[in-house]
Amino acid sequence: GNDPFQFDHYVQWANAASGCDLDAYAVSVPACASNEVAPQAYLRAQPNGALLGVGNVRYLVADHDLSQRPSLVWQSGSVRVYENPAVLPRAFVVPAVMVEADDADALALLQVHGLTAVAVVPRVSEDMLPSGAQYRAARVVCWTPNLIEVQTHGPGWLVLSTVWSPGWQAFVDGVRTEVYRTDVAFCGLPLPDGLHTVTLRYAPVGWVWGRRVSLVVVVVVVAATVAVFWKRYRVRTMLTRPYS
């Protein structure tokens, strides 16, 4: 239900991960799942298990045979459910980072080096590149649409399978840390050595300022209402007060 123009990086990942070769705009993600442009385009799609894995996609549903997905786990008529053996945890730590701003090139790097070996980001400071790290899954403490908390060891680069947006705020052991767009569409951040608790909160600027403005408007409306009723009360009191 999301407009792809709002999540361009996510659309790039979804098209590549699903094997969608349709270069067109559609309101559905991936584009070839829609019948707006090319109704039969989805029949050519052969999903990429590794790329789907970073998004924590465990199962795929299709009404046609996916020849490159041998792990068929359920079928009823033409509807088939496949299990993705390359699925990754919701949060995990990788030992290395590569910098590539172009989404297509970033996706290619991930497939060459492997998603458990490297994370790809569009930019990062040199002092944030991990060393001496290894791949490990993170323990998920809390995972909701607006709040995520995980615990894991560093050093390394923490990758979370939630879609990146400028509204995400991260705290490592209570210290504010920048959230980087990682592996084209997801959230990631550097971890120093040791055990850490990482918290992500979704609080976009528009929502924060909208909340503040709404609170101010409510206060003004309440104050104005009180003033009007107080004025009416004063007038009524003066009119009913007996003359001396």
Side-chain angles (χ1 to χ4, degrees):
N2 294 321
D3 188 333
F5 280 143
Q6 299 174 358
F7 298 96
D8 178 63
H9 303 296
Y10 174 71
V11 173
Q12 297 298 320
W13 168 81
N15 284 346
S18 64
C20 178
D21 61 356
L22 184 62
D23 185 17
Y25 170 81
V27 295
S28 59
V29 179
C32 58
S34 170
N35 60 4
E36 302 171 68
V37 183
Q40 303 300 314
Y42 73 96
L43 295 172
R44 302 191 301 269
Q46 290 295 331
N48 184 309
L51 291 181
L52 287 171
V54 72
N56 192 237
V57 177
R58 183 177 296 275
Y59 296 101
L60 297 85
V61 181
D63 64 355
H64 63 289
D65 179 54
L66 300 179
S67 59
Q68 298 179 18
R69 310 303 313 167
S71 50
L72 180 67
V73 295
W74 183 84
Q75 182 174 356
S76 177
S78 63
V79 178
R80 300 170 173 85
V81 177
Y82 297 86
E83 185 171 7
N84 180 18
V87 63
L88 293 173
R90 279 186 163 186
F92 56 93
V93 178
V94 296
V97 174
M98 301 183 71
V99 179
E100 176 55 65
D102 183 80
D103 287 348
D105 291 340
L107 290 166
L109 285 174
L110 287 172
Q111 295 183 74
V112 170
H113 295 278
L115 289 106
T116 60
V118 65
V120 180
V121 296
R123 61 174 182 83
V124 70
S125 301
E126 290 293 331
D127 59 350
M128 292 183 178
L129 299 177
S131 60
Q134 60 181 357
Y135 168 78
R136 59 173 64 87
R139 185 174 76 88
V140 175
V141 178
C142 173
W143 195 288
T144 68
N146 297 319
L147 176 65
I148 297 172
E149 183 176 328
V150 301
Q151 290 182 340
T152 190
H153 285 83
W157 193 271
L158 177 64
V159 182
L160 303 105
S161 63
T162 192
V163 178
W164 177 87
S165 171
W168 281 108
Q169 300 175 357
F171 301 85
V172 179
D173 301 325
V175 179
R176 181 73 175 270
T177 304
E178 182 176 356
V179 181
Y180 292 84
R181 183 166 61 85
T182 301
D183 294 349
V184 175
F186 304 99
C187 293
L189 52 93
L191 288 178
D193 194 12
L195 177 63
H196 303 285
T197 297
V198 181
T199 303
L200 272 74
R201 295 189 180 94
Y202 188 66
V205 174
W207 177 83
V208 173
W209 279 102
R211 184 183 181 186
R212 293 173 180 173
V213 171
S214 298
L215 289 174
V216 171
V217 170
V218 169
V219 170
V220 170
V221 170
V222 170
T225 302
V226 171
V228 169
F229 277 101
W230 176 250
K231 184 177 180 180
R232 289 180 179 176
Y233 171 77
R234 294 277 295 177
V235 171
R236 188 181 301 114
T237 302
M238 292 176 64
L239 291 175
T240 58
R241 182 183 303 170
Y243 291 98
S244 57

